[in-house]
Amino acid sequence: MGDSIIIENLTKYYNDFLALDDLSLRVPEGENIGLLGPNGAGKSTTLKIMCALIRASSGKVFIDGFDILEEPEKALSRIGAIIETPEFYSYLTPIDNLSYFGKLRGMSGNNLMKKIDEVIALVKLEKWSKVKIEKFSRGMKQRLALAQCLLHDPPILILDEPGLGLDPKGLVEFREIISDAGRSKTVFFASHQLNEVDLICDKVAIINNGKLLIYESIDVLKQKYQSLEIAYLKLTGGSVE
Amino acid sequence: MSDLEKLKIVIQYEFLKHFRRKRLYIVLGIALLVEALVLILIPVLMEQGYPDDALSMAALLTAGPGLAVIGAVFFAGDAVAGEFEGKTGFLLFINPVKRVVLWVGKYLAGFLATTILVVFSYIIISIALLAIYQQVPVELLKSFGLCMLYAASVLSVTFLFSAVSKGSMGATVMTLLFIFVVCGILESVLMATGKPYWFILSTGGDSITAVLTDMSKMFESLGIDPSRFGSMLENYKPMDVSLAAVGMVIYLVVGFAGSLWFSNRRQLA
């Protein structure tokens, strides 16, 4: 099995501010990787570059072997993503929105409708499937974002704080869905929720100030630092009581 | 899946968005109200009633330039800026579609929505002329063609402002200021001083009625003596409609190309 995601010497400047500093990382196919780091560490910037939302100042990203800059369409066809708290088209219903994105990904007809019903049921939004999104709460939008991310059954999931806005019950359901998807997919998952990352991921990459601090399996980190939380705090310079 | 197939999908759903919003119906209501007011107020306010000739009446009824601007602003002001400001781009841009396909699709959907407004307005004019004069002059078709060209060029300019604006409101305000204030003032000054003014965008809007009748004929048909305006019309030369059309094509091409260039360079940080 090869690498689903290859990040090579990724550097990103926002004007004079260095957001990513020569970041390199390889995510093997089928693995679930957590991307951890304090606010402003460069997590979202990394994911946005991986989804072709912003351009790197230098460096490369390959998704399933496709350079995101050279072959963005091929690379994007391999991923399902939730970046930040995405907003849907509020004048349309969940079915309309999912139908739009599904068709853009080459899905059509009964197959598309069946998949839409399936993912809407998965995120428990059946009752709201024909209601305009302007009526939705933040948590409901986040559920729908997860539905759109799984709609086309992509081999790679890129998730940026996907649990944001979900209630505790929703968070548990969400974790189950991602864990289940993670058995057959590669998951690259940025979060501040260490317990969520611990339950979903095999390995973590911890970054700070745009630099990779460590890329190691959670089990090894736990052995070395007692817990993932202590490892995170020690590596990012936080205080450990 | 080809780019053309993706383009069709983008147009379909972008148009659906316009269709589901209340804006389309509001502008259609405005169009109906404007035409109704003209039809009601002329016989009430003018002693002689409706003008003698159908062309002058058609010119009075033509709300096309205003509708084209309102349509463009409503349907295109947030087309590009809205994806960034409203964060919907986080879902749209991660699909395997070229950005240029998205922008072209949005433009064409906006044009389609504006076309509905313009067609609706010209249907009302045609019905009114048939009812009053029992004829629909062929010049109305030319006016319609120019109105569609004007709508396309205003849409391009709005797209350009939307591409460079941080928010939708900025794009809307900039478009309205540009057309009604900047272009309006420039056109008036150049027209009054007898200088060429075909290259001003609002001239394109004026050509929509100019192809029906000229200013002095319209005043005469309403029983107004043009000499009442004194020296104001001394330097006035009737516009060259062909040149005005060339001007609109320039705005259409440059505005759209510029909007594509700026939109493609924008990043969703």
Side-chain angles (χ1 to χ4, degrees):
Chain A
M1 289 212 288
D3 292 323
S4 288
I5 300 167
I6 301 172
I7 298 171
E8 280 179 356
N9 310 108
L10 209 58
T11 299
K12 174 68 181 175
Y13 281 94
Y14 292 113
N15 296 321
D16 291 335
F17 176 73
L18 179 61
L20 282 182
D21 188 3
D22 204 29
L23 183 74
S24 294
L25 203 65
R26 279 171 183 263
V27 179
E29 189 183 333
E31 285 204 6
N32 298 347
I33 308 296
L35 184 64
L36 302 176
N39 292 327
K43 303 186 297 295
S44 290
T45 298
T46 307
L47 301 193
K48 284 174 186 171
I49 293 171
M50 289 167 70
C51 293
L53 293 169
I54 55 175
R55 285 181 288 275
S57 304
S58 64
K60 293 257 180 202
V61 171
F62 295 92
I63 305 285
D64 253 2
F66 299 112
D67 186 331
I68 193 72
L69 208 61
E70 303 292 327
E71 298 175 286
E73 285 174 73
K74 283 181 181 165
L76 289 174
S77 69
R78 314 290 296 156
I79 64 169
I82 304 176
I83 305 293
E84 291 197 357
T85 305
E87 288 293 334
F88 288 84
Y89 296 111
S90 58
Y91 299 100
L92 304 182
T93 65
I95 290 180
D96 294 331
N97 272 280
L98 294 180
S99 170
Y100 185 15
F101 300 135
K103 283 181 183 173
L104 285 177
R105 288 185 176 274
M107 301 168 80
S108 61
N110 286 340
N111 175 42
L112 173 61
M113 289 320 293
K114 204 176 140 200
K115 274 303 284 184
I116 289 174
D117 288 344
E118 206 176 284
V119 290
I120 282 183
L122 190 69
V123 299
K124 297 188 167 55
L125 283 177
E126 299 102 314
K127 283 181 192 165
W128 296 82
S129 64
K130 288 175 184 165
V131 177
K132 282 186 183 176
I133 287 169
E134 59 193 1
K135 307 264 191 294
F136 277 35
S137 69
R138 190 179 178 184
M140 288 161 75
K141 286 180 194 168
Q142 205 68 11
R143 283 171 183 264
L144 190 57
L146 184 61
Q148 71 78 32
C149 161
L150 297 168
L151 179 68
H152 52 290
D153 197 18
I156 302 167
L157 298 181
I158 295 174
L159 309 170
D160 184 12
E161 292 285 357
L164 224 61
L166 291 173
D167 56 35
K169 186 169 169 272
L171 214 54
V172 173
E173 288 166 0
F174 164 81
R175 187 202 306 146
E176 283 167 2
I177 294 169
I178 296 295
S179 296
D180 192 40
R183 288 192 196 106
S184 57
K185 298 178 192 299
T186 306
V187 180
F188 197 60
F189 174 26
S191 179
H192 289 296
Q193 303 290 327
L194 298 182
N195 59 326
E196 293 300 317
V197 171
D198 191 4
L199 290 165
I200 293 171
C201 303
D202 317 307
K203 284 173 85 173
V204 289
I206 302 177
I207 62 172
N208 197 10
N209 298 320
K211 272 184 177 297
L212 181 66
L213 303 175
I214 198 162
Y215 183 36
E216 191 52 88
S217 88
I218 293 175
D219 288 341
V220 170
L221 285 176
K222 280 180 178 171
Q223 275 175 12
K224 200 172 169 186
Y225 295 94
Q226 290 181 308
S227 72
L228 181 61
E229 190 179 38
I230 294 172
Y232 174 80
L233 289 171
K234 281 200 171 171
L235 288 162
T236 56
S239 59
V240 182
E241 293 291 318
Chain B
M1 196 181 185
S2 71
D3 285 341
L4 196 64
E5 284 171 301
K6 287 177 184 174
L7 180 66
K8 278 186 205 164
I9 294 165
V10 176
I11 295 170
Q12 182 193 341
Y13 280 88
E14 289 298 324
F15 183 72
L16 181 67
K17 274 158 58 186
H18 296 316
F19 194 73
R20 293 270 176 87
R21 284 165 134 175
K22 292 187 180 105
R23 291 175 179 187
L24 182 63
Y25 310 106
I26 291 170
V27 191
L28 284 172
I30 291 172
L32 194 63
L33 184 70
V34 169
E35 310 293 9
L37 279 175
V38 173
L39 287 167
I40 293 164
L41 289 178
I42 287 180
V44 172
L45 299 175
M46 305 299 293
E47 275 177 29
Q48 66 171 76
Y50 292 123
D52 300 333
D53 68 309
L55 284 174
S56 294
M57 187 60 196
L60 286 169
L61 278 168
T62 300
L67 282 178
V69 174
I70 293 171
V73 163
F74 273 13
F75 304 131
D78 63 352
V80 181
E83 295 291 350
F84 293 86
E85 186 185 27
K87 294 190 174 182
T88 44
F90 283 125
L91 290 171
L92 185 62
F93 300 155
I94 57 172
N95 289 295
V97 188
K98 290 189 180 85
R99 294 274 175 100
V100 70
V101 172
L102 294 175
W103 308 135
V104 173
K106 279 170 173 281
Y107 178 89
L108 292 175
F111 184 68
L112 200 61
T114 312
T115 301
I116 289 175
L117 294 179
V118 175
V119 168
F120 177 69
S121 160
Y122 275 84
I123 287 173
I124 296 174
I125 297 172
S126 302
I127 292 170
L129 292 178
L130 268 176
I132 301 167
Y133 302 95
Q134 289 79 49
Q135 58 162 307
V136 179
V138 71
E139 283 82 356
L140 198 65
L141 204 61
K142 289 184 196 169
S143 170
F144 173 73
L146 285 165
C147 192
M148 292 313 302
L149 180 58
Y150 182 63
S153 57
V154 175
L155 210 60
S156 279
V157 170
T158 313
F159 249 75
L160 180 59
F161 285 128
S162 188
V164 297
S165 299
K166 216 167 182 182
S168 310
M169 187 53 77
T172 303
V173 171
M174 275 199 274
T175 307
L176 292 174
L177 282 177
F178 177 72
I179 294 171
F180 290 126
V181 180
V182 178
C183 289
I185 291 172
L186 277 174
E187 188 190 350
S188 303
V189 170
L190 293 171
M191 192 196 284
T193 53
K195 299 284 186 293
Y197 56 94
W198 60 269
F199 50 87
I200 307 292
L201 181 57
S202 52
T203 308
D206 293 341
S207 72
I208 296 165
T209 46
V211 79
L212 296 169
T213 183
D214 70 32
M215 218 184 278
S216 48
K217 268 190 195 164
M218 194 186 329
F219 288 138
E220 280 166 18
S221 70
L222 287 167
I224 300 168
D225 181 7
S227 65
R228 274 172 57 182
F229 296 95
S231 60
M232 264 179 73
L233 294 175
E234 249 172 35
N235 289 318
Y236 168 73
K237 288 175 196 159
M239 77 164 64
D240 184 331
V241 172
S242 311
L243 273 179
V246 171
M248 288 192 278
V249 171
I250 292 170
Y251 281 96
L252 168 62
V253 174
V254 173
F256 192 58
S259 71
L260 289 184
W261 192 80
F262 283 111
S263 303
N264 283 335
R265 295 180 72 81
R266 276 183 88 156
Q267 299 186 57
L268 190 51

